[in-house]
Amino acid sequence: MKDTAAFEARFLAEHQRSVRMRRWRGIALNILGVLLFLAVWEIIPRLGFANPVLFPPPSKVLEAALPMLGSGEIPWNILVSLGRAGSGFLIAAVLGVAIGVATARAPVIRDLVEPLLHGFRSVPVIALVPVSVLWFGIGEGAKVALVATGAFFPIWINSFIGVRDVHEIYLRSAACLGANRWQTLRYVVLPASLPFIIAGLRQGIAIALIVLVAAELAGARAGVAYMMSMGHQLFRVDIMFAGLVILGFLGFAGDRLFVALCRKLFPWYRPSA
Amino acid sequence: MPLISIEHVSHLYVGTGGTPSWALRDVSLGLERGRFTCLVGPSGCGKTTLLQLIAGFLKPTAGSVQLDGKPISGPGPDRSVVFQEYALFAWFTVRQNVEFGLRVAGMKAAERRKRSDDLLAMIGMSHAADRYPHELSGGMRQRVAVARALAIHPQVVLMDEPFAAVDALTRATLQEELLRLWQQLGLSIVFITHNVDEAVFLADDVVVMSAHPGSIQEIMTIDMPHPRDRGSPEFARWYARINAALHQDPKRKEAA
């Protein structure tokens, strides 16, 4: 019996070690991938494959970005952009989920809006930017509204599909256990459609960033894309690249944060990576 | 008065090709309180339709379905259903699933907890109270589904091939456990199966149904005491009788 205990302890230690190993190896490979990308990027202009002024290597981009980081210019622009994207996304999330659920739950409304919805989903939101500038000008409100509009559609559509396709057996279970309409919505329909809602929200984050850039490029006095358009006018490709890196990082960080939040809030649901 | 009375019930649906099909044709049946009734029959015999009419998921095209003398107008907690599978709420733990009906009925948390503790102990799942359905085996999931249906103290438990998706060994265990619960709690159960062995092992009354149109062919009352021995000659006789009824040629039946 003592033998068994020792054997199990050894097995467990070995198992935990291999799990830890795998995790660290994963992280190391993630970092290695980024480093490899940076290395290739650094080498290409240096080998003469590209004009270093038009295609600055990361070292030059960093060189340009450091003073702007120190002066607070970059952090301020990030903050402004995040404020716009965040508030627009939040509005879109609340409206998109609410309207998605409402339109999918009532059969009359569902049939009424379904063709419209499939029409809207195929219109790229960026096509709305010029119209929005005409309607709302280039003020803060207009940009937030535009981001909200862009992020709203994927959230609405996914919530709609998720709620429409909740498995009949869940609804019947709830009904025969005595749940009323409101309880069914809260305890069954919403959680059951959560995978779709989450997919919509994730798509919404990505689209919010795209629309944000389009809106800022159309005219702004601050923001990451504004910074890039200034770089464009000054022929400072390094500043434009710095903007690209920041946007890439914001998108990545936003998505990671979202996935982490989902893990925490919905332990029974596993969003894929 | 029977607990559930089904009187001259027909149920039509539009089949492929747009022609009306009879899922059930002029079916009458009375189900008594405290009895274990099995509905057996080939696919298309309307056994699931009949169960769904009692559950209130469907309305009869003609005729009436009554519970305790009152017509059934929709699903409700006096008739809980155990489905074949995938009916546990994936976002709730075992305990939350079992307590669901009590929660929506507004029962206080402490009281709920006591009842779910009792039920989980009864089905031997106390250790898994905080697990999610995806962490359970098929047999464990169906135990929880049964507990969830029993928690609200329904007048009748409707079971739609609840053990069809689990392996044979687990199924035998689940059948024994269900019989124990039925005796211990004095339940009334309507149980669909296409498995003759299951019907002979479980049922007081076996309703043999036939297809095209869905109708009742024969009702048999098995008066063997529980626990029933699958190896006994009596068991074999009942098995043969039900099997014969199921495989009876409808044309010959008409001639007879």
Side-chain angles (χ1 to χ4, degrees), chain A:
Chain A
M1 234 40 227
K2 217 178 353 176
D3 249 342
T4 313
F7 187 74
E8 282 180 352
R10 252 202 328 275
F11 165 77
L12 202 64
E14 180 64 28
H15 174 75
Q16 280 162 350
R17 206 179 60 84
S18 84
V19 168
R20 256 199 315 273
M21 265 286 284
R22 227 171 304 151
R23 192 162 53 225
W24 281 114
R25 199 181 55 193
I27 294 171
L29 284 174
N30 289 162
I31 294 170
L32 183 68
V34 175
L35 289 179
L36 275 175
F37 170 76
L38 288 175
V40 171
W41 177 10
E42 183 73 40
I43 289 167
I44 286 175
R46 284 181 191 278
L47 288 182
F49 289 124
N51 181 342
V53 177
L54 286 174
F55 194 87
S59 55
K60 294 286 174 208
V61 174
L62 194 66
E63 217 171 277
L66 273 179
M68 294 171 77
L69 273 168
S71 71
E73 194 181 340
I74 285 182
W76 169 245
N77 282 323
I78 290 179
L79 218 64
V80 169
S81 286
L82 275 185
R84 287 170 185 151
S87 43
F89 173 74
L90 223 64
I91 294 170
V94 172
L95 288 180
V97 173
I99 294 178
V101 171
T103 47
R105 282 289 276 170
V108 176
I109 305 179
R110 180 168 64 206
D111 293 338
L112 205 63
V113 300
E114 195 151 10
L116 295 175
L117 186 138
H118 289 296
F120 277 127
R121 73 193 291 185
S122 43
V123 175
V125 195
I126 301 183
L128 292 175
V129 174
V131 183
S132 161
V133 172
L134 282 180
W135 285 353
F136 305 114
I138 58 165
E140 279 313 296
K143 286 186 190 47
V144 172
L146 205 58
V147 170
T149 313
F152 170 77
F153 283 103
I155 299 172
W156 176 28
I157 289 161
N158 279 285
S159 308
F160 177 89
I161 292 173
V163 170
R164 185 194 63 189
D165 294 350
V166 168
H167 205 298
E168 181 79 41
I169 213 168
Y170 282 148
L171 299 176
R172 287 185 164 177
S173 297
C176 77
L177 292 168
N180 62 31
R181 215 179 144 75
W182 169 244
Q183 290 167 326
T184 304
L185 178 68
R186 180 171 159 208
Y187 297 130
V188 179
V189 173
L190 279 180
S193 48
L194 198 69
F196 280 90
I197 294 177
I198 285 176
L201 292 173
R202 258 179 113 170
Q203 238 173 298
I205 291 178
I207 294 201
L209 278 180
I210 294 172
V211 179
L212 171 81
V213 170
E216 287 186 354
L217 288 178
R221 285 177 214 91
V224 176
Y226 160 80
M227 187 184 95
M228 290 172 69
S229 86
M230 287 315 286
H232 176 71
Q233 287 172 28
L234 300 170
F235 199 60
R236 288 287 302 276
V237 184
D238 46 0
I239 293 181
M240 297 169 72
F241 270 45
L244 286 178
V245 173
I246 291 169
L247 286 175
F249 180 75
L250 286 185
F252 170 77
D255 196 61
R256 289 290 91 184
L257 195 73
F258 182 74
V259 170
L261 204 68
C262 287
R263 288 240 163 90
K264 186 108 188 106
L265 290 178
F266 314 114
W268 51 271
Y269 173 64
R270 304 251 155 276
S272 54

Side-chain angles (χ1 to χ4, degrees), chain A residues 167 169-180 183-184 186-189 191-193 267-268 270, chain B residues 52 57 75-77 79-81 83 85-92 100-101 103-104 132 134 148 152:
Chain A
H167 205 298
I169 213 168
Y170 282 148
L171 299 176
R172 287 185 164 177
S173 297
C176 77
L177 292 168
N180 62 31
Q183 290 167 326
T184 304
R186 180 171 159 208
Y187 297 130
V188 179
V189 173
S193 48
W268 51 271
R270 304 251 155 276
Chain B
Q52 294 188 351
F57 300 143
R79 289 152 289 134
S80 56
V81 183
F83 298 91
E85 52 180 339
Y86 305 124
L88 289 182
F89 301 126
W91 49 93
F92 287 147
F100 181 85
R103 188 169 165 193
V104 298
Y132 286 96
H134 73 87
R148 183 176 74 173
I152 53 176

